[in-house]
Amino acid sequence: MDKIGDWQDIHIAYIVAKQGTLTAAAKVLNIHHSTVLRRVEQLEQQLNTRLFHRHARGYKVTEAGEKLLQVGKGIDDALGQLQHSIIAADSTLQGRLLLTTVSGAMEMLSPACLQFQQQHPHVQLEIILKQQKLRLDHGQAHVAIRAGVKPTDPDYVVQPLCSRRAGLYASDEYVARYGLPNSIAELPNHYFVGGVTGFNDTVPYFSWVDKVIDSKQVCVRVSETAEATRSIYQGLGIGGMQHAIAKRTMNMQPILESELYWQLDFWLVTHVSVHRTAKVQALCQVFKHYFSAE
């Protein structure tokens, strides 16, 4: 006897046995009664045995059918328990929760992440720092923090998180060596930190460097805003930083603050399939409350 190729056939046969007729089974399964008949006959052919006695009042299982349908009942019960456990897991605040963002956003997000962990200690928050956008529809992450233009995927729930202003900064070490530019006309006398090709369009001050600054003045190019910040700290050149982050850092000086500035928009993104689950809702609520209060 060949191995059964489709467990769904057993499920359909089980429903026929419970309901007693093809029409009643088709109604429960929400499929056409001809499909029910075809699947039952297909299963009987695979097993090379008769599972039902057909008569005017409906279908009655044979002795062989009884044995098979005991297995069907076990599968049906197991699937029911699995569904209940999945629903229970979605409604409880425990287990893993995957958050993805770029590394440059972590300094901004860290206080909100700490609040979430303090409020929900049984949830294991795992943060995936990647420049590439992970697929929420593939389960690569549950929540994403995206910067720049608002995401437009129709299966994503997109909520505004916050807007941050950024400007140019230099470290005290850099200023000691090269001084401060007092006007845009003096910028050609200085060195800058920029972004690598393919990354610049998502970070407005990287894009500005590419458009305005001579490439010979760009001392280093990076693919992460966190690495750009580190390069500025170390005095390699002038570069863009969020005002809020720069003001928390000692030994940083603003450059032409009233003339050169940019706005960064951040978005809280989830997939419709997990948006209503307890853990995702809890994280979204903590993040929105933190940034609205800030």
Side-chain angles (χ1 to χ4, degrees):
M1 181 176 65
D2 293 336
K3 184 178 179 181
I4 298 171
D6 193 339
W7 288 106
Q8 184 67 15
D9 289 346
I10 297 178
H11 176 63
I12 290 173
Y14 173 65
I15 298 301
V16 171
K18 283 182 64 177
Q19 298 299 316
T21 68
L22 294 181
T23 302
K27 186 174 182 180
V28 170
L29 294 164
N30 197 28
I31 57 178
H32 198 272
H33 74 274
S34 63
T35 302
V36 177
L37 176 59
R38 177 175 57 81
R39 299 294 288 265
V40 169
E41 290 178 341
Q42 176 178 290
L43 181 59
E44 288 181 326
Q45 289 173 6
Q46 280 188 294
L47 297 174
N48 194 28
T49 189
R50 181 66 65 88
L51 299 176
F52 295 95
H53 295 298
R54 279 78 164 172
H55 53 78
R57 290 174 296 177
Y59 278 49
K60 181 176 176 59
V61 293
T62 63
E63 185 177 350
E66 286 279 7
K67 293 179 180 179
L68 182 68
L69 295 175
Q70 286 176 10
V71 176
K73 184 179 186 305
I75 293 173
D76 198 62
D77 290 344
L79 290 174
Q81 291 173 7
L82 177 61
Q83 182 180 22
H84 287 311
S85 67
I86 290 171
I87 293 171
D90 281 349
S91 62
T92 58
L93 289 166
Q94 59 184 3
R96 298 169 70 215
L97 181 62
L98 306 180
L99 168 68
T100 181
T101 189
V102 295
S103 65
M106 271 313 298
E107 189 165 355
M108 177 185 79
L109 296 176
S110 291
C113 290
L114 177 60
Q115 281 191 13
F116 176 78
Q117 290 177 321
Q118 290 172 337
Q119 292 180 30
H120 306 290
H122 298 297
V123 178
Q124 293 129 32
L125 182 60
E126 298 182 15
I127 302 171
I128 307 167
L129 301 176
K130 270 189 173 292
Q131 210 54 56
Q132 298 82 8
K133 294 178 180 178
L134 297 186
R135 294 287 300 272
L136 301 186
D137 55 333
H138 288 183
Q140 294 178 331
H142 301 123
V143 181
I145 304 299
R146 301 268 169 85
V149 178
K150 181 179 180 180
T152 57
D153 190 300
D155 291 328
Y156 287 175
V157 178
V158 182
Q159 303 174 78
L161 183 64
C162 65
S163 293
R164 291 295 182 90
R165 297 191 75 178
L168 294 180
Y169 286 85
S171 70
D172 287 348
E173 182 182 349
Y174 177 90
V175 174
R177 279 185 286 139
Y178 299 104
L180 281 172
N182 294 310
S183 67
I184 291 178
E186 293 182 11
L187 293 180
N189 301 324
H190 290 270
Y191 297 101
F192 290 82
V193 175
V196 298
T197 301
F199 180 59
N200 297 2
D201 289 343
T202 62
V203 182
Y205 43 79
F206 283 173
S207 181
W208 175 85
V209 167
D210 268 1
K211 292 174 183 175
V212 176
I213 302 301
D214 191 303
S215 60
K216 295 177 182 178
Q217 295 174 246
V218 182
C219 59
V220 62
R221 293 184 181 274
V222 298
S223 61
E224 291 276 1
T225 53
E227 293 304 317
T229 299
R230 188 172 290 109
S231 298
I232 300 166
Y233 286 158
Q234 293 173 348
L236 273 69
I238 295 170
M241 292 179 63
Q242 290 183 32
H243 290 324
I245 293 174
K247 288 173 182 177
R248 292 201 301 264
T249 307
M250 296 180 62
N251 306 320
M252 299 299 294
Q253 298 190 38
I255 307 294
L256 303 175
E257 190 171 8
S258 61
E259 298 176 69
L260 297 174
Y261 53 85
W262 300 270
Q263 179 169 302
L264 300 171
D265 295 322
F266 291 88
W267 307 92
L268 184 61
V269 185
T270 57
H271 192 267
V272 291
S273 63
V274 299
H275 177 68
R276 295 293 179 189
T277 59
K279 288 179 290 189
V280 169
Q281 283 293 302
L283 184 70
C284 291
Q285 288 170 11
V286 169
F287 273 34
K288 288 190 291 185
H289 181 267
Y290 174 82
F291 284 103
S292 63
E294 187 189 47

